[in-house]
Each structure stands twice: as C-alpha cells, then as structure tokens.
Amino acid sequence: MATKLDQMDFDVKSLPSSASDDGGQSIDSITTTLPSGKDTKAELPYTGMLCDVKNLWEGKSKCLCCINWVEELDDDIKPNPEETEAVQRYALIVRNKKNHGGSSGDKVMVVSSIVVQSPLLKPLLEEVFEGYEGITAGLKKLVFSKPFAPFFYRWARFRKAVEEVKDEATRTHAQLLYEVLSQELDETITTYHDLLSHGVITYKYLWTLFKPGDLLLCQYKGQDMMMKLQSSDYESGGFSLHAKYVDWDGYFFGYASKNFILQPFEGTRPITDLAAYPIQFDSDAAAIESRLIARGKRFVELQGFHFKMYRGIAELIAGEFGNRTVASRHREVNGRIIIDADMYNRYNPSEVMPIDSLESTSFAAVLPAEAEPQHVDSSIHPPPPLPFPGPVPPLPAHMRHMQNSIDMQDSPAGPPDSQSQGVMTLPEELYPLCTPILKGYSLKTKNFATFQVDKVHEIVWEDHAFESLVLPPGYKDLILSFTKNQNSSEVLLDDVIEGKGQGIVMLLTGEPGVGKTLTAESVAEHMRVPLYSMSAAQLGVDSDEVEQNLSDILEMTTKWKAILLLDETEVFLEQRTIDGLERNKLVSIFLRMLEYYRGVLFLTTNRVTVLDKALESRIHLKISYPELDQAARLRVWRSLIDLLPPSSVGLDYADLEYLSQKKANGREIKNVIKAAQLLASGQDRALSLEHVQTVLRITQIGSEFGNLQA
C-alpha cells in the first residue's frame, strides 16, 4: 500500500500560510507549533493531512452489538497465503482439503481446486474454452474446482493446445497444468470409459454424461422433445439439468428455459432409461430428429393467429377471465380452437415464460470425440496422453452442425401480420428444438389452453350450412351483406365521437326453432371465421365481473374477427326498472359496450317485448323470424335427411311432404330425425316413416303428430 501511495501525486498547495513560515515544515513540526496548554486533538485543524494509510483490524469482541477495532492484528490471525507476494509468484496454486469422505484411496488430503495465475496460460485457455459459458479465461485469478468438468469436457482440445505450443516458457507452464490435471482426471476418465462401454451410468458420474451444449432427448408435457443443455449440477433434490428450447412469445422467437431433476439412484442405470439424456445415445436418433424437424416446422407455421380444428388432450387454464388462477386441468377437446400466443399471454400473465432473444443467446459448443493425433511435434514432449472420455457415440453427421453451433442467428424478429404469416422461418438446426406446445383458446370449452402441435388439423368447413338455412326470400342476402362488409371494410363510418358505432349489431327475434341461432352459425361457417357463443353463465352475475368479462370477450373477438353470438339476450337486456338497481347496472354496461364494439354481434331472443327500449338505437338490423310454413318445413326435413348416408334412409319425397304438413319448428324436426335414426340403427334397418311415426307418438311433439298414420 505504501508503494502505491508513494507513486501517487498529492497536491498540498492548499496548506494555510500560518502552518509554516517558510512553507516547508513537516507535519510533525506543524503540530508542535500549536500554543502550549491546548488540547491538540480537539483543536488540530490538519485532520487527514498525514499522507499515509492506517489499518484498523477487527479484534476480540467486547460486546455482542459492536465491533472492537484494534490497531494491531491478533497474533493468532494470519493473512491469506494466496495474498502474499511469495505465493502469487507461482503459475498454479493447488488447494488441498481434508479428505473427510474416505475416498480417493484414503488420502488424508485431496485436491479441492486449482488456481491458474500464470499470465502465459491465459491465452491458451481462452482458446480451449472459447464459447464455453461461465468461463472467462482472462481473469487475473482463474479458479477451477473439482471435478474439473470444463477440462473433462474439453480434454481433447486442451491436450491438442498443449501439444501445439511453440513458446518455451508457455510450453513449460502448459505441461505443468496438464500433468496436474492428468493426475486428477485419470480415474474419472477410466471409469467413464468403462461405464459407457456397457451403455450405463451411475449417479455419481452423471455429470460426465451431460456436457454443456449437448442435445438432450427428453419429455415435455408428455411429448418427445430435444433441448440444448446449458448446465448441470448436483443439488439437494438430485442432479439438475438446465436446458433451453425454442418458443414463441406472441411476437418473437426465443429461448425458454426448462429444468429437469434426475433423482438419485443406486448402482448403474441404462443411459436411455434416464428422464433426459444426450440424443446420440439413442439408436433411433436420426429418425427422432427427422420427426422433430417436421413438427418444429409445423410449430413455426402456426405462429401468429390461426383458426384450426383440434382433436386430443389439451391443458385448460382454469377459471374464467375474472379469475386469474394458474391452476389447470387436462381434458379431451374435439372442436375448433384459436391459436394466439399473444392473447394467451395477455390474459394469463402468470403462465408466461420469458424467452431470451435468439440473437443474443449462445450455447456452449461441445466438440465431438476427437481421434488421437497421428503426428506430434517431437519438440513438445508432452506427458503420455490420457484417452479422451469415450466411447461417446458421435452425433449423426447431419446433426453435428446443431451441437457445434454456438451462435444461432439469422432468425426473423418481429410480430407477424396478415401479409407475413406463413413465411416465417428459423435456421434448420433450430426446428428440432421447437416446443411441441401451442398457446391459444378453446372455443368449445371457453378456456385459454395449450395444445399439442401434432393434434392440430385443418377445419373441414360445412359449405352447405348457409345454403340449407331456411329463411324467407331476401333474408340471407341482407344478413350476409352486413357481415361481409363489416369484416372486410378497412374504412369504417365513425360516430361524432371517435370509436363509437363502428360495429354491426343484429337482433334476431322469433319463436324457438325458427333458425335464429343457426343463422349466426351458418354465417360464420360461410365466411370461415370463428363463432364465439357467449352465455350468461360465462359472464357472471355481479356487475363488475360482467363488465370485465364482457370487455375481455369483445376485445378477443374483435382481434380474431369472430362473429359474436349472445343467445337469450333478454337475460341481460331486459327493461330497466326503478327498484332493480343491479339489473340496471348490467343493462347500462351492455349498452355502453355495444356502442364501442367494432365487430359483428348477433343477439337472439324470443321475448322481444321485454327488451330495454334503449337497445333499439344500438341495433343496426332487426329481423323477425316467422313461424315455418309447410314449404319451409319441407325444406328443413329434406336438408336434414340429406345429411344422412343414402343407404341408411328409406324415406321418399311423398313421406317428407306428408310429414311437412304438420306444424313443428326446426329444432323439433332435427330431434325427431335423430331419435328415429337411432331407433332404425338399433333394428339394423333403414330409416323409414314407421320409425319417424314411432318417435312422434312417444314424444308427442305437436298434437297433430299423434294422429299421423302411415
């Protein structure tokens, strides 16, 4: 410390003139010129002017709350030897600790860590550990702890670097480090070689199996998956693997993290029985990779917003919009879904897994097993080389670029839009690392959910639905023109107040079974857009809950350009009364939100007279559905019968015309046909008029049906 202070330039020009007549007195002489009889410590104006450092040390405690600072270091305390000049001269420091475990040949002391101090070794080690995360070889004090995993993983590269050193001084230091490490790793490498020759591993030697940068074969949410290993370590609960895979956050591709814990086990275990293991140990590695590449490309294609069919197990996020719990349940889903990670993450923030940018994240590269060099510079004379840890099955040739790839870049960065969707790509080596899970929304269960990529299919559209819709002339054309123009128009007629009145609200009224709900369903099918059926149970009963849930639904359906259907509108839009304060709140909430809705909304009711009068000004199109006449009923009978396989139907036109003479609505006709078909199937016969009459007689749908005769 004194040496450093001597080299510093101190400025003392600001000393007061009264301190010295000639300006050259020492500090000692300054203090002695003070008037006698004064308290020198109290009146000394030159505090802090002595150009030196005074160390105080923590001494033996005098009380529990204070530190006892002393001027002299206690005799029983010695400085850290690594801080002494004598120790700092050595190229390597080998720290040895007591062998409490009784292993390592019952040695009293065993190596704990090695400190590399030699500045000559730093450039060599920087080359050896290039791309290895967590090691900065240029540090002044570079410490490697037992079991010296980085050297074990890079042993071939390290040995080669030692052999190729030209500088005599550097060569001497490098061979010294090689010799020390060889003694420590010899037993490890020998045991590792023996275990792998039998295709097994022990819990103690798990760390030798998992090299940073390895491609792991594992299971994620019940699906086979490849991840890239970042690090591994023994923890209290087992052997921890920290891996990364490619995911999508709604706007960008990036790396998400996953931790695996391999539980302790006794004896040996086949490597392929582990919950996660390097893929090169699987005999079917090439076929697995090919399958995961195809799935990864499908995953990339499905990013952004997509309307698809799903058949399989989905993980549903429990609770409705107002309930932000993260509990989930698994359920078989067979219906249409929305794939939209952005909306999923927005409404389930606790489920969002942060991802790292593909451009900024790199994985530690691991070289494949290297063959022993055939020609060695005779001037180097290194120690006899230890065998490289093996035999490790090398990755298939077409997969090696994946393991050696350090920086994986050149990926698109940015949210897809309607023009760019379907053209997003990733580097080829990243497709097998893509997650098998998609985030979205189940229209059938009304839940946000995660879906398996392999269970997503294209929608088979019911093109006949709109044509088979039985309505008076002109009804379908009018309805279709409203909905088509709303979804396709980019320039909307705005209100005096910006954002108001830009949606289309249609009110369909009429008796049950005349086609109100079917109208909304068939229009959505014809336009090939999602249909969101909103129910009273889904919205809740409390006004605050209804407002939040309705706001969420309107936001989602607007983004997805879905057709929104609210059946039994009178439940929420019944005429306000003086004493119904809570109901008045619900009606006011609905009316206000309808003003600002930008999508297409169908409202249906069979009690139009009870609706609030203020709703009329929010309705753009009101359609009253008349009861079905005979011609309409005949079309309903024929359209529903035409959906059945021809070989299973024994009804002719005369039978249908006869049935259409009797009063019934569309829903009743559908239920009769369905029950009659089941009856005919149970008798292993074609559907006949007799079966229809039997159902009509039992169900007594309409008094006229009871008198029907064959």
Side-chain angles (χ1 to χ4, degrees):
M1 181 63 74
T3 303
K4 293 180 180 178
L5 290 171
D6 290 341
Q7 296 173 352
M8 297 178 66
D9 184 14
F10 286 89
D11 184 6
V12 295
K13 293 180 181 180
S14 60
L15 287 173
S17 58
S18 62
S20 173
D21 293 334
D22 58 7
Q25 280 185 293
S26 67
I27 296 294
D28 291 338
S29 63
I30 293 174
T31 59
T32 57
T33 59
L34 294 172
S36 60
K38 300 287 186 178
D39 187 344
T40 307
K41 296 181 181 179
E43 299 186 10
L44 180 62
Y46 306 104
T47 301
M49 295 306 297
L50 180 58
C51 185
D52 204 348
V53 172
K54 178 63 176 178
N55 287 305
L56 297 179
W57 314 93
E58 182 180 359
K60 295 180 180 179
S61 300
K62 294 183 177 180
C63 65
L64 297 177
C65 59
C66 301
I67 297 177
N68 179 31
W69 300 108
V70 297
E71 293 189 68
E72 299 295 334
L73 192 64
D74 290 345
D75 294 337
D76 59 344
I77 298 178
K78 295 182 179 180
N80 184 352
E82 293 184 20
E83 297 179 358
T84 64
E85 184 177 346
V87 174
Q88 289 179 357
R89 294 200 303 264
Y90 288 88
L92 304 176
I93 298 176
V94 178
R95 298 168 175 168
N96 295 270
K97 66 177 181 180
K98 294 179 181 179
N99 183 17
H100 298 289
S103 57
S104 302
D106 293 326
K107 295 179 181 178
V108 177
M109 303 293 290
V110 292
V111 173
S112 172
S113 59
I114 297 174
V115 182
V116 179
Q117 298 189 137
S118 169
L120 301 179
L121 288 175
K122 303 301 175 61
L124 182 142
L125 294 181
E126 284 181 345
E127 177 185 345
V128 170
F129 294 111
E130 180 183 1
Y132 196 107
E133 284 193 2
I135 294 182
T136 304
L139 294 176
K140 182 178 180 181
K141 180 179 286 188
L142 184 60
V143 181
F144 294 93
S145 300
K146 198 170 185 176
F148 311 111
F151 282 101
F152 178 84
Y153 300 142
R154 296 289 179 93
W155 187 254
R157 183 185 285 195
F158 173 59
R159 185 178 63 245
K160 183 179 179 182
V162 173
E163 294 170 353
E164 295 178 350
V165 173
K166 302 298 182 184
D167 177 68
E168 183 64 29
T170 303
R171 182 187 312 125
T172 303
H173 285 209
Q175 291 181 7
L176 176 64
L177 178 60
Y178 187 92
E179 290 171 358
V180 172
L181 288 169
S182 296
Q183 295 175 11
E184 292 302 314
L185 292 176
D186 186 17
E187 180 183 354
T188 300
I189 293 175
T190 301
T191 304
Y192 174 84
H193 187 284
D194 186 32
L195 290 170
L196 263 63
S197 67
H198 294 84
V200 298
I201 198 70
T202 64
Y203 183 73
K204 177 182 178 180
Y205 281 91
L206 272 178
W207 70 269
T208 65
L209 192 66
F210 295 96
K211 309 172 185 66
D214 267 352
L215 300 174
L216 302 183
L217 182 61
C218 55
Q219 289 270 315
Y220 180 62
K221 293 185 180 293
Q223 301 291 299
D224 285 340
M225 190 173 179
M226 282 172 57
M227 297 187 186
K228 205 153 192 178
L229 181 66
Q230 283 291 102
S231 61
S232 60
D233 199 5
Y234 290 95
E235 297 181 356
S236 57
F239 188 71
S240 174
L241 301 173
H242 178 68
K244 290 195 174 185
Y245 59 93
V246 176
D247 204 348
W248 170 262
D249 69 353
Y251 293 96
F252 302 98
F253 287 106
Y255 292 117
S257 301
K258 174 66 178 177
N259 288 332
F260 296 92
I261 299 294
L262 303 183
Q263 300 297 327
F265 57 89
E266 298 292 334
T268 61
R269 178 169 295 181
I271 294 173
T272 54
D273 284 354
L274 299 174
Y277 57 88
I279 192 172
Q280 60 263 36
F281 291 101
D282 198 297
S283 59
D284 203 22
I288 294 173
E289 188 231 5
S290 177
R291 175 167 54 86
L292 297 187
I293 285 178
R295 189 183 68 189
K297 291 182 176 180
R298 177 66 171 160
F299 170 81
V300 173
E301 291 173 0
L302 290 173
Q303 296 319 312
F305 161 74
H306 295 275
F307 184 31
K308 299 292 181 182
M309 173 64 73
Y310 186 81
R311 299 185 185 93
I313 299 296
E315 185 177 11
L316 307 181
I317 304 302
E320 300 300 334
F321 301 109
N323 184 359
R324 300 297 186 224
T325 60
V326 297
S328 60
R329 66 189 189 278
H330 292 82
R331 176 176 169 179
E332 183 78 22
V333 173
N334 185 5
R336 297 181 182 182
I337 63 171
I338 301 291
I339 299 173
D340 189 348
D342 175 40
M343 295 298 286
Y344 178 97
N345 293 338
R346 190 182 309 179
Y347 288 103
N348 300 279
S350 57
E351 289 283 304
V352 178
M353 181 176 293
I355 64 173
D356 299 323
S357 169
L358 291 179
E359 286 76 10
S360 63
T361 304
S362 63
F363 288 111
V366 176
L367 296 181
E370 300 176 30
E372 293 298 322
Q374 300 299 315
H375 304 285
V376 180
D377 189 341
S378 58
S379 63
I380 297 179
H381 304 299
L386 292 173
F388 178 76
V392 179
L395 284 172
H398 63 286
M399 295 177 65
R400 291 177 187 167
H401 68 284
M402 298 170 59
Q403 191 166 13
N404 293 329
S405 175
I406 298 176
D407 295 311
M408 295 174 282
Q409 304 177 357
D410 302 326
S411 61
D417 52 31
S418 57
Q419 286 74 36
S420 64
Q421 274 197 32
V423 297
M424 293 184 292
T425 59
L426 287 175
E428 191 72 18
E429 63 266 25
L430 294 188
Y431 285 119
L433 303 180
C434 289
T435 173
I437 301 301
L438 296 165
K439 297 175 181 178
Y441 189 84
S442 170
L443 291 170
K444 183 175 183 179
T445 65
K446 300 297 188 297
N447 287 90
F448 281 101
T450 57
F451 309 100
Q452 300 174 18
V453 173
D454 293 336
K455 302 301 175 66
V456 176
H457 308 280
E458 298 300 320
I459 295 175
V460 179
W461 299 98
E462 302 290 345
D463 294 324
H464 67 278
F466 192 72
E467 287 73 15
S468 62
L469 181 63
V470 178
L471 289 177
Y475 275 51
K476 291 196 290 186
D477 291 339
L478 181 60
I479 294 171
L480 198 58
S481 63
F482 263 71
T483 53
K484 275 188 174 180
N485 291 335
Q486 175 67 17
N487 272 3
S488 62
S489 177
E490 296 181 358
V491 181
L492 299 174
L493 177 63
D494 215 342
D495 201 285
V496 175
I497 303 301
E498 183 179 357
K500 288 180 64 177
Q502 292 189 359
I504 293 294
V505 180
M506 287 179 275
L507 178 63
L508 311 182
T509 68
E511 294 300 316
V514 294
K516 302 186 299 297
T517 302
L518 182 60
T519 298
E521 295 171 342
S522 59
V523 168
E525 199 74 13
H526 181 79
M527 296 178 60
R528 303 196 172 187
V529 297
L531 174 70
Y532 193 104
S533 298
M534 186 167 50
S535 66
Q538 182 184 356
L539 293 174
V541 293
D542 177 74
S543 58
D544 292 336
E545 183 182 5
V546 169
E547 182 172 12
Q548 180 62 55
N549 292 342
L550 182 59
S551 175
D552 292 342
I553 291 173
L554 296 182
E555 179 185 10
M556 291 191 306
T557 53
T558 300
K559 180 186 177 183
W560 297 336
K561 291 191 174 181
I563 288 179
L564 182 58
L565 170 64
L566 178 59
D567 270 326
E568 299 178 347
T569 304
E570 65 275 5
V571 174
F572 286 103
L573 291 173
E574 189 174 353
Q575 179 67 46
R576 285 170 285 188
T577 60
I578 297 177
D579 55 350
L581 182 59
E582 189 64 24
R583 173 166 293 279
N584 293 349
K585 286 183 180 180
L586 297 179
V587 175
S588 298
I589 290 169
F590 263 87
L591 295 176
R592 172 168 49 83
M593 290 193 169
L594 289 182
E595 288 274 19
Y596 291 91
Y597 183 49
R598 299 171 59 91
V600 177
L601 171 62
F602 282 92
L603 304 174
T604 71
T605 181
N606 55 14
R607 300 174 59 203
V608 66
T609 57
V610 304
L611 296 181
D612 193 272
K613 300 301 182 184
L615 180 61
E616 295 181 4
S617 63
R618 274 78 170 179
I619 301 299
H620 299 89
L621 181 63
K622 178 180 177 182
I623 300 179
S624 297
Y625 283 62
E627 291 187 4
L628 300 180
D629 57 18
Q630 181 183 356
R633 291 195 294 270
L634 177 60
R635 291 201 303 271
V636 172
W637 279 101
R638 293 186 61 179
S639 63
L640 293 176
I641 291 296
D642 287 343
L643 296 178
L644 302 176
S647 60
S648 66
V649 177
L651 293 168
D652 56 23
Y653 180 79
D655 294 332
L656 298 181
E657 188 173 23
Y658 175 73
L659 292 172
S660 67
Q661 295 174 6
K662 304 304 179 179
K663 185 178 179 180
N665 62 48
R667 186 175 291 110
E668 290 172 334
I669 295 174
K670 181 183 71 173
N671 292 338
V672 167
I673 293 177
K674 184 175 182 180
Q677 182 193 17
L678 292 174
L679 179 60
S681 177
Q683 297 176 355
D684 198 19
R685 295 168 53 192
L687 177 63
S688 66
L689 184 59
E690 179 185 353
H691 297 118
V692 176
Q693 288 178 311
T694 300
V695 173
L696 293 174
R697 184 172 57 252
I698 294 174
T699 58
Q700 296 184 355
I701 297 178
S703 59
E704 296 92 344
F705 280 134
N707 299 320
L708 280 176
Q709 300 296 326

